[in-house]
């Protein structure tokens, strides 16, 4: 979440439920366990395609902003508690 909030593209392993928050190839790139070549391929893609890297960073930031919207979340909580 910190990377998304910082507006940087994310490359992550599949653990820790990150794929349940962010959508692969739209908001981040996922690497399968032990797949070093896949990690290298993703790093090269971000370095060689700055528009793609920016698209991923933008998508992740938007998802983070939606997920971490205090006003929206407090309104949901009010509805639950009333």
């Amino acid at each position: 979440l910190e990377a998304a909030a910082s507006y940087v593209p994310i490359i992550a392993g599949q653990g820790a439920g990150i794929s349940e928050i962010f959508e692969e190839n739209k908001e981040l790139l996922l690497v399968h366990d032990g797949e070093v070549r896949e990690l290298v391929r993703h790093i090269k893609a971000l370095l060689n395609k700055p528009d793609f890297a920016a698209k991923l960073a933008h998508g992740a930031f938007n998802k983070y902003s939606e997920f971490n919207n205090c006003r929206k979340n407090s309104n949901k909580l009010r509805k639950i508690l009333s």
Side-chain angles (χ1 to χ4, degrees):
L1 291 177
E2 291 83 3
S6 300
Y7 214 96
V8 296
I10 303 169
I11 300 174
Q14 290 188 312
I18 194 156
S19 61
E20 295 189 18
I21 298 172
F22 297 103
E23 187 176 337
E24 185 175 8
N25 295 318
K26 183 177 178 185
E27 299 159 345
L28 84 162
L29 298 174
L30 289 175
V31 177
H32 295 86
D33 290 341
E35 292 294 328
V36 176
R37 288 186 177 141
E38 186 177 31
L39 175 61
V40 170
R41 203 169 46 251
H42 287 336
I43 292 170
K44 286 182 178 180
L46 295 179
L47 292 173
N48 293 328
K49 300 175 183 176
D51 290 342
F52 177 60
K55 177 184 168 190
L56 287 176
H58 183 75
F61 180 81
N62 285 342
K63 177 66 66 80
Y64 169 80
S65 297
E66 176 185 317
F67 184 73
N68 214 29
N69 183 321
C70 291
R71 177 173 289 155
K72 183 178 175 181
N73 291 338
S74 66
N75 287 337
K76 286 181 183 180
L77 183 58
R78 282 190 191 110
K79 287 179 184 179
I80 291 169
L81 296 175
S82 44

